[in-house]
Structures are given as C-alpha cells and as structure tokens.
Amino acid sequence: MDFLKTTDQDFAAKFSALVNNRRESRVDVSVAVQEIIANVKVSGDEAIREYTSCFDNHSPTSFGLSQKAITYYAQQCSADITTALEFAAERITAFHQKQVPQNFVYTDSVGVNLSLNWVPLSTVG
C-alpha cells in the first residue's frame, strides 16, 4: 500500500504514476474478464469449475445443494439462527419489492390518457 501526501515534493509524480498504473491494469483486467465471460458462455459450468479451481483453489463437483442437504443443514441451526435468517429474508425481500418500477395509467387535466409501462429487457450491453 502506498501512502501519498500532497505536501511531499514528489507528490505530483507519484500521484501520476499511481493513476496511470491503475488505468493500465483496468485495460488488462477488462480483456481478461471478456475472455472469461466468453469462455463461460461457450463452456458453461465446466468453465466455472476451471476458474473456481484456478482462482479459489477449490474444485466443486456441483454448484448447489440437494433438498436433502438443505433440510439437513437447516435442522443443524438453532432456533435463534433460523428465526434471524427468516427475519433477514423477509426484510430483504420487502426492500427489493419496493424497488420494482410500477406501471401507471392516468388522465391529465385536459382529458388525455397517459401511461407508463415498464418492460424488462432480455439482454443488456
């Protein structure tokens, strides 16, 4: 970690180097991310397994839990933990439901019918 002080004589040079280094690495990261996304689109779960092994040093055999495993682990939780998780899930759900845009139809003061209809996009980018 570098610490920069505006009062240092070489602050401008160090700051410029820091900013320029960050820009360079963003380009490299962007290219790498594009390659990863392309590979995942083509190879699906197999690519995810490879990247998980490479970056996380973990080799998953699956990406989910069976209902049997979920039931087993849920039974291992204390009542306090289960209650807290259910409470958190309710709050999170309620918050995100309020984020959903609402359609509306109304008639303005001169009698014109106006409306707004939100339609989800199938893809973006």
Side-chain angles (χ1 to χ4, degrees):
M1 179 181 299
D2 292 331
F3 290 94
L4 302 179
K5 293 182 182 178
T6 57
T7 56
D8 290 345
Q9 288 182 347
D10 58 349
F11 170 77
K14 285 184 176 180
F15 183 75
S16 180
L18 176 68
V19 170
N20 289 330
N21 285 341
R22 302 261 181 203
R23 285 188 182 144
E24 299 260 341
S25 59
R26 282 190 185 152
V27 171
D28 294 340
V29 169
S30 179
V31 170
V33 169
Q34 289 172 359
E35 290 173 2
I36 290 170
I37 291 170
N39 191 16
V40 169
K41 284 181 179 180
V42 171
S43 301
D45 285 352
E46 188 54 39
I48 299 292
R49 281 185 190 88
E50 289 174 17
Y51 290 120
T52 302
S53 177
C54 175
F55 296 128
D56 300 330
N57 199 25
H58 173 70
S59 299
T61 56
S62 68
F63 297 109
L65 294 174
S66 67
Q67 187 57 50
K68 182 179 178 181
I70 292 170
T71 301
Y72 171 79
Y73 290 118
Q75 291 171 347
Q76 304 308 307
C77 289
S78 69
D80 289 347
I81 296 294
T82 301
T83 300
L85 290 171
E86 289 170 351
F87 180 66
E90 289 170 10
R91 293 184 67 227
I92 291 165
T93 300
F95 175 79
H96 288 292
Q97 285 174 339
K98 295 203 179 295
Q99 291 179 311
V100 176
Q102 300 295 317
N103 299 337
F104 62 84
V105 177
Y106 75 99
T107 304
D108 72 5
S109 62
V110 295
V112 176
N113 291 325
L114 301 166
S115 65
L116 178 65
N117 187 32
W118 288 89
V119 179
L121 301 175
S122 59
T123 46
V124 178

